[in-house]
Amino acid sequence: MFTTTYAFTLAVTTNTLRFSQSEEWLMDFPVELTLEQQFRLQNLKDQVKNLNQQEAQEFLLEVLRQMMVKDNLVKHLLKQA
């Protein structure tokens, strides 16, 4: 099984992320990666090249789970603010 402790970021095709009208207060949010994040992403790309289909599916599910946990944490922190 492939495991990692990295935080993950989804790439988008533009330099900004538009939020829905209900979240207008967020305006445009920059989605460019830091140099460190770019380096970590390249390392991950190199690692996943060698995964078989089952390992890749497990990896994807773990990434999505971590993103959901991160979303829950951000929501909790915003409620506390």
Side-chain angles (χ1 to χ4, degrees), residues 12 33 48 53 66-67:
V12 294
L33 299 178
V48 298
Q53 184 176 357
Q66 289 183 20
M67 290 176 60

Side-chain angles (χ1 to χ4, degrees), residues 3-54:
T3 60
T4 183
T5 58
Y6 291 122
F8 298 96
T9 304
L10 288 180
V12 294
T13 57
T14 62
N15 289 334
T16 57
L17 178 62
R18 297 289 291 177
F19 291 91
S20 67
Q21 289 182 346
S22 63
E23 298 170 327
E24 279 183 24
W25 62 275
L26 292 173
M27 304 294 280
D28 289 339
F29 185 79
V31 293
E32 294 180 19
L33 299 178
T34 66
L35 188 57
E36 180 182 353
Q37 289 170 325
Q38 292 175 29
F39 177 75
R40 288 170 43 191
L41 182 60
Q42 185 58 51
N43 285 339
L44 287 170
K45 285 180 183 179
D46 294 341
Q47 291 176 29
V48 298
K49 286 179 184 177
N50 299 321
L51 299 179
N52 64 37
Q53 184 176 357
Q54 181 179 349

Side-chain angles (χ1 to χ4, degrees), residues 63-75:
V63 169
L64 294 173
R65 187 192 70 77
Q66 289 183 20
M67 290 176 60
M68 290 176 192
V69 169
K70 181 179 175 182
D71 288 345
N72 291 344
L73 176 62
V74 170
K75 288 176 186 178

